[in-house]
Amino acid sequence: MAKVLIGFMGAGKTTVARLLDPDFIDMDAVITDRIGMSIADYFAKEGEAAFRCVESQVLAELLTTDAVISTGGGVVISPANRDLLRQKAHTIFLKADLATLVKRIQKDQVNKRPLFENNDAAEFAQLFEQRQAFYEEAANQVIDVSDKSPQEIVELIK
């Protein structure tokens, strides 16, 4: 059974996945390979709905493995994806408060996050609030990561 990390952008999904298994699968990287461009470019060219369709296809494929998987923050938007995550994987919600996430995102000079960059603070906070119940619904395990190091999180998962 796959071990899947979910949570809002900046929660540490990729960092924790890498510590759990150096050969983890970064779902965003799989999607980028499939679509042949960056996710930000695909969003701009094809729109969010087209992206979410590809994301759902990739999720269903990856859940047939025993891999550690790091997902994108919006994978839980789809009710079908939430059902798959809950039923077909050990799904861990890395939960953090909005202030912690914003600080992490602002410090991250590597990852471009269109939903952070293209929304004002109020819209971003609303997006965060909307997704919280979706993460809770999809998860088999919830870990508050706000005040924990990546290694502490890994120990809680194991």
Side-chain angles (χ1 to χ4, degrees), residues 29-81:
V30 173
I31 292 170
T32 299
D33 288 345
R34 180 153 311 168
I35 61 180
M37 65 182 77
S38 74
I39 290 172
D41 288 346
Y42 194 80
F43 249 72
K45 183 178 179 192
E46 303 293 337
E48 185 173 0
F51 170 77
R52 296 296 174 201
C53 183
V54 173
E55 182 180 56
S56 292
Q57 292 169 353
V58 170
L59 177 66
E61 292 167 17
L62 293 178
L63 291 183
T64 65
T65 71
D66 288 331
V68 172
I69 302 165
S70 171
T71 65
V75 71
V76 296
I77 290 172
S78 159
N81 287 355

